């Protein structure tokens, strides 16, 4: 069973995905998990992989955008180092939504 808070998070992630698709990005994966953590959305913009971290916070005590970017950078580096099924010839871009 999913909590109301989790459902709200899923709804916001879906809105972010639809927004980015309307901007021309192609959806590749959602909730990509590895031993280092999870990436909310992985999308492609032409020849660029886009790793998306979606946040909806009312309380600043849960971490700043810069904290999230550091964590997201570590996740992306780990995934690229592990040699995933995603295309290795792509450039990488980070988006915080």
């Amino acid at each position: 069973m999913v909590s109301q808070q989790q459902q709200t998070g899923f709804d916001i992630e879906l809105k972010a995905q639809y927004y980015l698709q309307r901007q021309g990005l192609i959806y590749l994966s959602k909730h990509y998990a590895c031993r280092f953590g999870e990436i909310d959305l992985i999308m492609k913009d032409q020849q660029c992989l886009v790793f998306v971290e979606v946040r909806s916070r009312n309380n600043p005590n849960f971490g700043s955008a810069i904290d999230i970017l550091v964590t997201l950078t570590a996740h992306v580096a780990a995934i690229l180092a592990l040699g995933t099924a995603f295309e290795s010839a792509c450039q990488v871009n980070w988006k915080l939504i």
Side-chain angles (χ1 to χ4, degrees), residues 78-94:
I79 288 168
L80 293 176
L82 291 172
T84 66
F86 297 109
E87 298 174 46
S88 61
C90 292
Q91 297 175 352
V92 176
N93 190 355
W94 294 264

Side-chain angles (χ1 to χ4, degrees), residues 2 8 18 22 27-29 32 40 52 62 64 72 74 78-79 82-83 91 96:
V2 177
T8 299
Y18 290 158
R22 285 191 307 272
Y27 166 80
L28 297 177
S29 183
Y32 184 88
D40 294 331
V52 182
F62 288 109
S64 68
L72 183 60
I79 288 168
L82 291 172
Q91 297 175 352
L96 297 172

Side-chain angles (χ1 to χ4, degrees), residues 9-32 39-44 50-55 95-97:
F10 293 148
D11 292 344
I12 292 169
E13 287 174 0
L14 193 57
K15 287 179 183 179
Q17 176 186 333
Y18 290 158
Y19 171 78
L20 292 170
Q21 286 176 309
R22 285 191 307 272
Q23 304 305 311
L25 279 75
I26 298 169
Y27 166 80
L28 297 177
S29 183
K30 182 182 295 187
H31 302 145
Y32 184 88
I39 295 178
D40 294 331
L41 295 168
I42 300 177
M43 303 187 81
K44 189 171 182 179
V50 180
F51 295 88
V52 182
E53 179 69 16
V54 181
R55 291 288 181 208
K95 297 219 182 287
L96 297 172
I97 296 180

